[in-house]
PDB file of all heavy atoms in Angstrom:
ATOM      1  N   GLU C  15       7.697  -5.801 -20.271  1.00  0.00           N
ATOM      2  CA  GLU C  15       8.092  -6.784 -21.289  1.00  0.00           C
ATOM      3  C   GLU C  15       7.085  -6.705 -22.417  1.00  0.00           C
ATOM      4  O   GLU C  15       5.899  -6.623 -22.171  1.00  0.00           O
ATOM      5  CB  GLU C  15       8.163  -8.155 -20.675  1.00  0.00           C
ATOM      6  CG  GLU C  15       9.367  -8.411 -19.832  1.00  0.00           C
ATOM      7  CD  GLU C  15       9.556  -9.903 -19.484  1.00  0.00           C
ATOM      8  OE1 GLU C  15       9.194 -10.750 -20.378  1.00  0.00           O
ATOM      9  OE2 GLU C  15       9.937 -10.156 -18.369  1.00  0.00           O
ATOM     10  N   ALA C  24       6.269  -1.920 -44.694  1.00  0.00           N
ATOM     11  CA  ALA C  24       7.092  -0.794 -44.636  1.00  0.00           C
ATOM     12  C   ALA C  24       6.592   0.252 -43.584  1.00  0.00           C
ATOM     13  O   ALA C  24       6.826   1.483 -43.734  1.00  0.00           O
ATOM     14  CB  ALA C  24       7.266  -0.052 -45.970  1.00  0.00           C
ATOM     15  N   PHE C  53       6.671  -0.792 -29.716  1.00  0.00           N
ATOM     16  CA  PHE C  53       6.875  -0.740 -28.291  1.00  0.00           C
ATOM     17  C   PHE C  53       5.831   0.186 -27.661  1.00  0.00           C
ATOM     18  O   PHE C  53       5.298   1.026 -28.351  1.00  0.00           O
ATOM     19  CB  PHE C  53       8.269  -0.267 -27.853  1.00  0.00           C
ATOM     20  CG  PHE C  53       8.696   1.032 -28.469  1.00  0.00           C
ATOM     21  CD1 PHE C  53       8.375   2.212 -27.738  1.00  0.00           C
ATOM     22  CD2 PHE C  53       9.376   1.091 -29.648  1.00  0.00           C
ATOM     23  CE1 PHE C  53       8.758   3.463 -28.308  1.00  0.00           C
ATOM     24  CE2 PHE C  53       9.779   2.346 -30.207  1.00  0.00           C
ATOM     25  CZ  PHE C  53       9.407   3.507 -29.525  1.00  0.00           C
ATOM     26  N   LYS C  62       7.421  13.767 -25.844  1.00  0.00           N
ATOM     27  CA  LYS C  62       8.828  13.510 -26.232  1.00  0.00           C
ATOM     28  C   LYS C  62       9.556  12.769 -25.121  1.00  0.00           C
ATOM     29  O   LYS C  62       9.120  12.861 -23.959  1.00  0.00           O
ATOM     30  CB  LYS C  62       9.485  14.822 -26.537  1.00  0.00           C
ATOM     31  CG  LYS C  62       8.793  15.577 -27.747  1.00  0.00           C
ATOM     32  CD  LYS C  62       9.634  16.770 -28.170  1.00  0.00           C
ATOM     33  CE  LYS C  62       8.946  17.566 -29.220  1.00  0.00           C
ATOM     34  NZ  LYS C  62       8.219  16.957 -30.235  1.00  0.00           N
ATOM     35  N   MET C 104      13.210  13.778 -27.895  1.00  0.00           N
ATOM     36  CA  MET C 104      12.662  13.698 -29.286  1.00  0.00           C
ATOM     37  C   MET C 104      11.343  12.943 -29.323  1.00  0.00           C
ATOM     38  O   MET C 104      11.004  12.199 -28.358  1.00  0.00           O
ATOM     39  CB  MET C 104      13.586  13.146 -30.262  1.00  0.00           C
ATOM     40  CG  MET C 104      14.043  11.664 -30.035  1.00  0.00           C
ATOM     41  SD  MET C 104      15.404  11.263 -31.071  1.00  0.00           S
ATOM     42  CE  MET C 104      15.029   9.588 -31.394  1.00  0.00           C
ATOM     43  N   PRO C 133      25.032  -4.236 -50.828  1.00  0.00           N
ATOM     44  CA  PRO C 133      26.345  -4.705 -51.288  1.00  0.00           C
ATOM     45  C   PRO C 133      26.424  -4.511 -52.827  1.00  0.00           C
ATOM     46  O   PRO C 133      25.474  -4.811 -53.512  1.00  0.00           O
ATOM     47  CB  PRO C 133      26.369  -6.179 -50.931  1.00  0.00           C
ATOM     48  CG  PRO C 133      25.507  -6.325 -49.751  1.00  0.00           C
ATOM     49  CD  PRO C 133      24.397  -5.293 -49.975  1.00  0.00           C
TER      50      PRO C 133
END
Side-chain angles (χ1 to χ4, degrees):
E15 283 193 36
F53 55 87
K62 301 189 185 320
M104 60 190 215

